[in-house]
Amino acid sequence: MSEATSIYVLVLSMLLFTVFAVFTILYIALQKKKQYRNSLEKQEMEHRFKTQLMRSKLEVQEQTLKNLSAELHDNIAPLLGLAKMQVTVLRDNIAEDWRSMSVETAAMIDEAIQGVRGMSHVMNGTYILRTGLAESVKKDMVRVAA
């Protein structure tokens, strides 16, 4: 092998080695970029999942409060109203010494009715939207303070 051929082979092998090194570096860079992109996609998916989970939790809580509010308003408040009417009828038809107790009982039932109504309004998201958050909070604070 002549010296020119040896130099030619050496230059060619160095060139091939350099091309191989460049392709290897490019391959590694592309793989890192792909890993980074996959990592970002995974984080984005996790974020979307957590956001959706939070929305679902809020919807369930809102629906639960709405159902409880409706239950208070539609079932318990009318029963308390009926009890108050019956106590009032009793008050008018009983002896004088029992009247003061029936008046106190009617007042307690009336207070319970007001409390149930206030609670049902505070729990009802539609009522809060209609009256505004500040007014709802004020009403709830008055109810709790009483």
Side-chain angles (χ1 to χ4, degrees), residues 44-55:
E44 187 178 312
M45 285 174 49
E46 287 175 357
H47 177 68
R48 280 190 301 227
F49 174 75
K50 287 178 182 178
T51 302
Q52 187 62 35
L53 184 63
M54 184 61 72
R55 280 190 192 130

Side-chain angles (χ1 to χ4, degrees), residues 32-88:
K32 290 289 185 185
K33 186 176 180 180
K34 187 176 178 181
Q35 283 179 336
Y36 179 72
R37 195 175 23 219
N38 286 341
S39 174
L40 283 178
E41 285 179 15
K42 182 180 176 186
Q43 288 175 353
E44 187 178 312
M45 285 174 49
E46 287 175 357
H47 177 68
R48 280 190 301 227
F49 174 75
K50 287 178 182 178
T51 302
Q52 187 62 35
L53 184 63
M54 184 61 72
R55 280 190 192 130
S56 296
K57 284 181 180 180
L58 287 174
E59 287 174 7
V60 166
Q61 287 175 349
E62 187 176 321
Q63 187 61 41
T64 301
L65 286 175
K66 189 175 182 180
N67 290 343
L68 183 58
S69 171
E71 184 72 23
L72 285 170
H73 187 269
D74 296 343
N75 294 328
I76 295 174
L79 288 174
L80 287 171
L82 181 61
K84 182 182 174 196
M85 287 185 346
Q86 288 177 341
V87 167
T88 303

